[in-house]
Amino acid sequence: TMPKEPAVLRQNILDTTAAILACGVDPTKCFLFRQSLVPEHAELAWILGCLTTVPRLLRLPQWKMKRASQDNEGTVGLLTYPVLQAADILLYKSTHVPVGEDQVLHLELAQDIARHFNKKYGEFFPVPKAILSEL
């Protein structure tokens, strides 16, 4: 949600890809892709954003904490980031999502959005369940 220098962003993408491969993810058994090259992520985020209220987003604790770190300004990107996360989950019709405790509320938002969408337009998205990581 914060602007980055293009060269730094490119290097971060390469570093993240290297870390994923180093963790043992086998690219012959799964798809690795750069999300920013898939326009459907942003398109679905726009649609879901039109179904999500601002008061619902303002209640998320991550918004409050991050906004405070940005001199209480907070950007629209920061506010709507949880909707993009919901789009990332729902686009692939995920049924289970591994999350840490700090992301449970964002997954609950994705669940609420899926339910709202399904009620309005018919059953389309599964309501994803959390797989909580154990540390």
Side-chain angles (χ1 to χ4, degrees), residues 40-101:
E40 290 83 359
H41 284 270
E43 292 166 3
L44 183 58
W46 173 259
I47 293 166
L48 300 180
C50 292
L51 299 173
T52 306
T53 67
V54 172
R56 175 74 166 91
L57 296 175
L58 290 173
R59 287 195 300 268
L60 293 171
Q62 287 87 345
W63 160 254
K64 295 174 185 174
M65 291 181 340
K66 295 266 184 161
R67 189 186 70 183
S69 72
Q70 294 181 359
D71 298 324
N72 286 320
E73 288 291 316
T75 64
V76 172
L78 180 62
L79 180 64
T80 60
Y81 186 72
V83 178
L84 178 62
Q85 287 180 310
D88 297 343
I89 294 165
L90 299 177
L91 182 63
Y92 298 100
K93 296 193 173 186
S94 303
T95 58
H96 293 79
V97 181
V99 294
E101 286 289 334

Side-chain angles (χ1 to χ4, degrees), residues 10-135:
R10 277 191 294 280
Q11 189 60 51
N12 287 348
I13 291 167
L14 293 173
D15 291 347
T16 300
T17 304
I20 289 168
L21 295 172
C23 288
V25 172
D26 184 348
T28 65
K29 295 181 180 179
C30 65
F31 292 103
L32 290 178
F33 60 93
R34 200 165 84 199
Q35 178 181 319
S36 60
L37 296 179
V38 180
E40 290 83 359
H41 284 270
E43 292 166 3
L44 183 58
W46 173 259
I47 293 166
L48 300 180
C50 292
L51 299 173
T52 306
T53 67
V54 172
R56 175 74 166 91
L57 296 175
L58 290 173
R59 287 195 300 268
L60 293 171
Q62 287 87 345
W63 160 254
K64 295 174 185 174
M65 291 181 340
K66 295 266 184 161
R67 189 186 70 183
S69 72
Q70 294 181 359
D71 298 324
N72 286 320
E73 288 291 316
T75 64
V76 172
L78 180 62
L79 180 64
T80 60
Y81 186 72
V83 178
L84 178 62
Q85 287 180 310
D88 297 343
I89 294 165
L90 299 177
L91 182 63
Y92 298 100
K93 296 193 173 186
S94 303
T95 58
H96 293 79
V97 181
V99 294
E101 286 289 334
D102 63 328
Q103 292 297 308
V104 168
L105 291 176
H106 286 184
L107 183 60
E108 288 175 1
L109 176 68
Q111 293 167 334
D112 291 347
I113 291 172
R115 287 185 195 103
H116 182 70
F117 186 97
N118 291 343
K119 184 177 178 184
K120 189 170 185 75
Y121 299 107
E123 289 298 316
F124 188 77
F125 293 118
V127 177
K129 294 179 176 49
I131 299 173
L132 290 171
S133 58
E134 298 178 20
L135 296 176

